Amino acid sequence: MSLRESVAGRSAETLAATDTAAPRSPEAQSMNRTAQLLCAWGGPLMIFFFGIGSVWLARYFPPEILPGDSAQTVADFYVKHTTRIRIGLIFTACAYGLMGTWGVAMAVQTRRKEGAFPVLTYVQLTGMATGTAQIVVMAGVWAAAAFRPGEISPEITQTLNDLGWMLLLGTWMPFTIWAIALGLAILMDKTNEPAFPRWSGYLSIWTGILYIPGSGAWFFKGGAFGWNGIIALWEVFIIFGIWVVTFSYLSMRNVRRGLVHSQDLPAER
């Protein structure tokens, strides 16, 4: 190979690398920025749809059915509010479906800080996908309870209602893994400007830990650890709401600052 051909080959490789590293057009930048903003807005929209579906229509929050209620009481509730529950659960399923898009907004931000093998980003996405799937199934279980109440044994309706609550509060494992992975991605970031503030990393880790008391719904039919209790229900949902609002704001702020495309890795030592 001649010297001229060698230089030309290297120039072509350099140009290709530059094209790969940089956005190809303003339209590509705009599309990526808009997509990330839409994903970040999934958090507030999730809360909005949850309020319509689970609070206003289906009346699961605060729970009108208590863990210690009889099978007949549970069945009567579903008979009386069948249509409201069914419509409310559609909104609830939409809310939890948006959880997946919202989780992507954080993952793409921490991805900018990881190298060629973004392990913690993959862990976030895996935990988010698993948790979203099981919570959407929860809405389906409650919809099954509302499908033919009064036509089947009250004990079956009660069991389906119990199962929904146990799926909602007791299956915290994917959510804990997701939140801790996000927190570690923030705290292990060695760059001068982490993807998110370091305090938010501690918030995320503690959020994951504070989901664990939801397991009380598997054991108790009343009190603080029942599914209507201050710990198993309200503590878990309050910390989840704080987590969602905080990272929705931080993700939107990053995107508006233009932190969309380029990776920002720590300098090699």
Side-chain angles (χ1 to χ4, degrees):
M1 179 183 294
S2 67
L3 178 60
R4 180 177 297 179
E5 291 173 339
S6 176
V7 171
R10 291 179 182 178
S11 299
E13 291 175 0
T14 302
L15 181 59
T18 302
D19 288 344
T20 302
R24 294 186 177 180
S25 66
E27 289 77 15
Q29 287 185 348
S30 175
M31 179 178 178
N32 202 341
R33 179 181 183 276
T34 302
Q36 290 190 35
L37 276 176
L38 288 173
C39 286
W41 270 104
L45 286 173
M46 173 176 61
I47 295 174
F48 176 72
F49 280 112
F50 176 84
I52 293 176
S54 289
V55 178
W56 178 44
L57 289 172
R59 300 181 181 179
Y60 283 108
F61 294 87
E64 289 197 15
I65 302 173
L66 304 181
D69 284 345
S70 68
Q72 190 60 55
T73 299
V74 175
D76 289 344
F77 172 81
Y78 277 91
V79 169
K80 183 178 180 180
H81 303 291
T82 301
T83 302
R84 291 178 64 100
I85 291 172
R86 290 172 179 172
I87 297 173
L89 287 171
I90 293 173
F91 281 95
T92 299
C94 290
Y96 289 132
L98 287 168
M99 186 187 303
T101 61
W102 174 72
V104 171
M106 286 110 67
V108 295
Q109 287 296 316
T110 59
R111 173 66 184 90
R112 294 188 301 106
K113 301 292 186 169
E114 292 194 85
F117 302 97
V119 174
L120 290 174
T121 298
Y122 294 154
V123 173
Q124 287 179 63
L125 293 173
T126 302
M128 173 268 292
T130 306
T132 299
Q134 69 188 32
I135 296 300
V136 172
V137 168
M138 171 222 72
V141 169
W142 277 339
F147 187 63
R148 56 179 89 248
E151 301 177 27
I152 58 176
S153 167
E155 285 75 17
I156 296 176
T157 302
Q158 183 186 43
T159 299
L160 290 170
N161 182 72
D162 290 344
L163 178 58
W165 283 106
M166 291 178 179
L167 285 171
L168 176 63
L169 298 174
T171 54
W172 48 264
M173 301 77 175
F175 293 97
T176 294
I177 292 171
W178 176 13
I180 291 177
L182 173 59
L184 289 176
I186 297 168
L187 296 178
M188 293 172 67
D189 185 350
K190 302 303 181 184
T191 59
N192 293 328
E193 187 178 0
F196 298 109
R198 296 200 185 278
W199 60 263
S200 67
Y202 292 107
L203 169 65
S204 194
I205 290 173
W206 274 107
T207 296
I209 294 171
L210 291 173
Y211 290 154
I212 297 175
S215 292
W218 289 11
F219 297 93
F220 299 95
K221 295 184 176 67
F225 287 94
W227 73 52
N228 63 323
I230 188 66
I231 295 178
L233 176 64
W234 296 111
E235 175 265 308
V236 170
F237 265 75
I238 288 171
I239 192 66
F240 177 73
I242 293 171
W243 189 58
V244 170
V245 171
T246 299
F247 279 97
S248 295
Y249 167 75
L250 293 175
S251 297
M252 291 177 194
R253 185 181 68 175
N254 279 359
V255 175
R256 291 188 175 115
R257 289 168 59 194
L259 303 177
V260 177
H261 296 280
S262 61
Q263 279 199 304
D264 181 13
L265 304 178
E268 295 184 3
R269 296 181 179 178

